[in-house]
Amino acid sequence: MSRWAGHPSIKGSTEAVRMALLTLNTIGITFVWGVEQTYCTPYLLSLGLTKSKTSLVWIAGPLSGLIVQPIVGALADESTSKWGRRKPFIIFGSILSALCLLTLGFTKEIVGFFIPDEKVAQTFTISAAVLAIYAVDFSINAVMSAARSLVVDTLPIEKQQTGSAWGSRMSAIGHGIAYATGAIDLPSLLGTSLGNTQFKQLTVIAAFGLVFTCGVTCWAVTERILIATRHDSHKEGGGFKVISQIWSTIVHLPPRIRAICMAQFWAWIGWFPFLFYSTTWIGETYFRYDAAHDAKDSGDALGEIGRVGSEAFIIYSVITFLGSWILPMVIRSPDDESYTQRPPESLRGIVENVNKYKPELLTAWMWGHATFAAAMFFAPFATSFRFATILVCLCALPWNIASWAPSAFLGVEVNKLSGAGGPNASYRRLSHDSNVEMEEINGVSSPAILDIESSRGASKQGSTGQLSGVYFGILNIYTTIPQFIGTILSTVIFSILEPGKSPELAHTAHPDEHHGTDGPNAISVCLFIGACSAVVAVFATRKLKYL
């Protein structure tokens, strides 16, 4: 039997303030991801790593997602800490991530302190940087897992979509801040108090930003406290039984859910190289075709490439931020048929006319794949960083849709399977109390200690949540596997086209060790292959029309 004390609550006098405080940690998390995606590839190249070896480092992302999130989720589910189930993981995970970020930014100095010999230190510096990236990825995934679960645990069912929307907006803000700060010449602005290079200063800012935003969220949110866990028959069979049940679910997926997962699979083979390499690609394009000679000889080539890439992604971030607000209003959601909107009488005619011309989300998702593919097909032909920037910005709205559509469609399918939702689903306003977010379950006030087993309504809600967790976990698997495939493909492409060290960044390497720059940029070829996969995703998504 599961027994709980208290009720979840969030400080704040309005719903907007409460939602902002609940999801504020997303800004810190995406700031860290933005810095890593913008600077870590050129940073590793500047240390003398080849592109093929650098691509193997990025297996850390999908690997940490597969390993850390399920483990942290399982541990947090059973936690009986007086501070709550999720907040301790958020706080300690953010502190660990911050320490790992600082280690990453100052790797050369840390290694040099212990190893004075420069040649020996070079090898240890590369190893320490790679280990620091793995540590950042694993620890930030722990924070992400707990933060997402905190939203689910805290909000009532009818506010889950609102919480997700606010998370998306905070994510866009976090990326925007990361790219904006990356585009500024920080050493000129702040001096050398936070480090003598752009990358060092960004890791310091990202570390403090992560701890601050996570601290504010944990201060603002009060969790229910788990007193005792319920008897679970799955645990008696051990982990193997749980794994076999997940595998059985994957094998017997309903046709529409399988189609959603396959569309996600093909789409993410394209999105993975875009997310991890596109800023480096823009920076390299700038250095090869547009940069003045003195810029190429800059003492902080890493900062120059990062700044150029960040400038392009500032525009990208502005578009994605606007898209996160506008697209839901102009695209018809797949569950609109189950909800009858009642606009004011004076606006009814306008609203009905507009709704007639709203595209369906399925159509928008297909056009998103097609737009991404069309843009990335031109990547190998980009000989100007401005043209490369235009191609990247064309992918902003497709990324909005790619982030929203799979979850929206899967949520509808899960609700159909569980029998939840529908036109008769009730809607309850959030409490107007300044620090209460959810105080009722099925219209009955929560006692100080809540016995889940004794509540029919809560049990029903729990079964729906469990079903949702299984299918969304499977969707995550179909998102993660393409990242492994993308890593292998990029490693092969980099080994063939650019087997040497980066001429733009590896200044300490002998010129004979540099790869040539006469052929197509290897990253652009990876983006081109991703475009081909996006074409397959169009047809995979189209199957949903006929299922």
Side-chain angles (χ1 to χ4, degrees):
M1 145 184 338
S2 295
R3 303 183 69 232
W4 304 83
H7 55 76
S9 63
I10 309 171
K11 291 178 170 62
S13 57
T14 65
E15 179 180 305
V17 171
R18 291 193 288 268
M19 291 292 181
L21 289 172
L22 177 62
T23 57
L24 185 68
N25 54 15
T26 306
I27 293 179
I29 293 169
T30 51
F31 194 156
V32 172
W33 282 121
V35 171
E36 184 177 278
Q37 291 170 357
T38 304
Y39 278 88
C40 281
T41 294
Y43 177 58
L44 293 173
L45 293 175
S46 72
L47 294 177
L49 228 58
T50 62
K51 278 187 178 177
S52 58
K53 291 179 180 177
T54 300
S55 66
L56 291 175
V57 174
W58 293 124
I59 206 169
L63 187 65
S64 58
L66 277 178
I67 295 174
V68 174
Q69 292 201 24
I71 292 175
V72 169
L75 292 174
D77 284 344
E78 302 300 317
S79 174
T80 55
S81 167
K82 66 178 181 178
W83 304 107
R85 295 189 299 165
R86 316 296 178 185
K87 291 196 294 185
F89 286 93
I90 294 174
I91 288 294
F92 288 114
S94 64
I95 293 172
L96 180 59
S97 294
L99 293 175
C100 295
L101 272 170
L102 295 175
T103 301
L104 179 61
F106 294 85
T107 305
K108 286 183 180 179
E109 287 74 11
I110 294 171
V111 173
F113 179 80
F114 294 101
I115 305 173
D117 186 277
E118 289 188 9
K119 289 186 178 179
V120 178
Q122 178 72 10
T123 303
F124 280 95
T125 299
I126 293 173
S127 300
V130 171
L131 289 174
I133 288 175
Y134 270 76
V136 169
D137 276 8
F138 274 72
S139 54
I140 201 69
N141 264 284
V143 178
M144 286 175 62
S145 176
R148 288 171 179 170
S149 296
L150 184 67
V151 173
V152 174
D153 293 350
T154 305
L155 297 179
I157 290 176
E158 65 269 18
K159 288 297 175 184
Q160 292 294 328
Q161 292 287 0
T162 306
S164 297
W166 272 91
S168 176
R169 291 159 189 162
M170 292 297 186
S171 177
I173 292 172
H175 277 297
I177 294 173
Y179 296 134
T181 52
I184 300 169
D185 188 352
L186 293 176
S188 298
L189 181 67
L190 303 177
T192 58
S193 57
L194 300 180
N196 59 355
T197 67
Q198 182 86 356
F199 182 58
K200 289 176 184 176
Q201 297 200 4
L202 276 173
T203 55
V204 172
I205 295 171
F208 282 100
L210 177 65
V211 173
F212 173 75
T213 55
C214 288
V216 171
T217 292
C218 291
W219 164 79
V221 178
T222 300
E223 293 187 76
R224 287 191 304 171
I225 306 302
L226 179 62
I227 297 175
T229 59
R230 64 186 175 88
H231 174 75
D232 194 340
S233 59
H234 292 309
K235 293 180 183 177
E236 293 181 350
F240 179 77
K241 184 176 180 181
V242 175
I243 293 172
S244 66
Q245 287 176 336
I246 292 173
W247 174 252
S248 176
T249 306
I250 292 174
V251 172
H252 300 98
L253 280 175
R256 285 185 61 83
I257 292 181
R258 184 179 301 280
I260 294 166
C261 290
M262 289 308 300
Q264 181 81 332
F265 173 86
W266 289 108
W268 263 86
I269 292 178
W271 282 114
F272 177 73
F274 177 86
L275 294 173
F276 278 90
Y277 299 128
S278 52
T279 51
T280 306
W281 170 59
I282 290 174
E284 287 184 345
T285 303
Y286 169 75
F287 263 70
R288 292 184 188 184
Y289 302 107
D290 299 282
H293 186 72
D294 56 345
K296 295 182 180 180
D297 295 331
S298 169
D300 187 15
L302 168 62
E304 289 293 332
I305 281 186
R307 275 191 288 273
V308 171
S310 294
E311 287 171 5
F313 269 80
I314 289 174
I315 306 171
Y316 173 90
S317 296
V318 170
I319 297 172
T320 56
F321 177 72
L322 295 175
S324 68
W325 289 88
I326 296 171
L327 286 178
M329 294 188 289
V330 299
I331 295 175
R332 192 159 69 247
S333 179
D335 58 350
D336 272 357
E337 294 178 359
S338 63
Y339 176 69
T340 304
Q341 298 185 357
R342 293 181 175 84
E345 197 65 36
S346 59
L347 299 176
R348 175 174 293 181
I350 298 174
V351 171
E352 289 179 352
N353 286 330
V354 170
N355 285 339
K356 272 194 286 186
Y357 297 102
K358 274 187 177 181
E360 294 181 350
L361 180 57
L362 183 62
T363 303
W365 195 13
M366 291 168 61
W367 276 106
H369 296 319
T371 303
F372 174 79
M376 292 299 101
F377 273 135
F378 287 98
F381 308 103
T383 56
S384 161
F385 86 96
R386 289 186 177 85
F387 182 51
T389 299
I390 291 171
L391 294 181
V392 165
C393 291
L394 286 174
C395 299
L397 293 181
W399 172 245
N400 275 127
I401 299 170
S403 303
W404 165 34
S407 298
F409 280 112
L410 186 58
V412 171
E413 296 305 316
V414 169
N415 280 331
K416 288 178 181 177
L417 290 172
S418 63
N424 297 322
S426 61
Y427 177 85
R428 177 174 55 82
R429 292 179 62 87
L430 293 176
S431 170
H432 292 288
D433 194 318
S434 64
N435 69 338
V436 174
E437 186 65 42
M438 183 178 74
E439 192 172 357
E440 298 180 351
I441 294 180
N442 294 338
V444 180
S445 297
S446 302
I449 297 178
L450 181 67
D451 184 350
I452 295 297
E453 297 293 330
S454 66
S455 174
R456 295 280 184 185
S459 178
K460 183 177 180 180
Q461 289 178 359
S463 65
T464 302
Q466 184 178 6
L467 187 66
S468 173
V470 170
Y471 286 115
F472 275 94
I474 291 172
L475 181 66
N476 184 58
I477 292 173
Y478 277 84
T479 306
T480 303
I481 293 176
Q483 298 178 46
F484 286 103
I485 295 173
T487 298
I488 295 170
L489 286 174
S490 59
T491 300
V492 173
I493 292 166
F494 293 156
S495 298
I496 295 172
L497 296 180
E498 296 180 357
K501 296 180 180 180
S502 171
E504 293 88 3
L505 292 164
H507 292 163
T508 58
H510 191 275
D512 291 341
E513 296 180 276
H514 291 160
H515 62 70
T517 58
D518 296 331
N521 186 296
I523 295 177
S524 69
V525 174
C526 293
L527 296 174
F528 180 87
I529 292 175
C532 297
S533 182
V535 172
V536 180
V538 173
F539 292 97
T541 306
R542 188 169 178 266
K543 284 186 177 180
L544 281 167
K545 284 190 173 184
Y546 307 104
L547 293 175

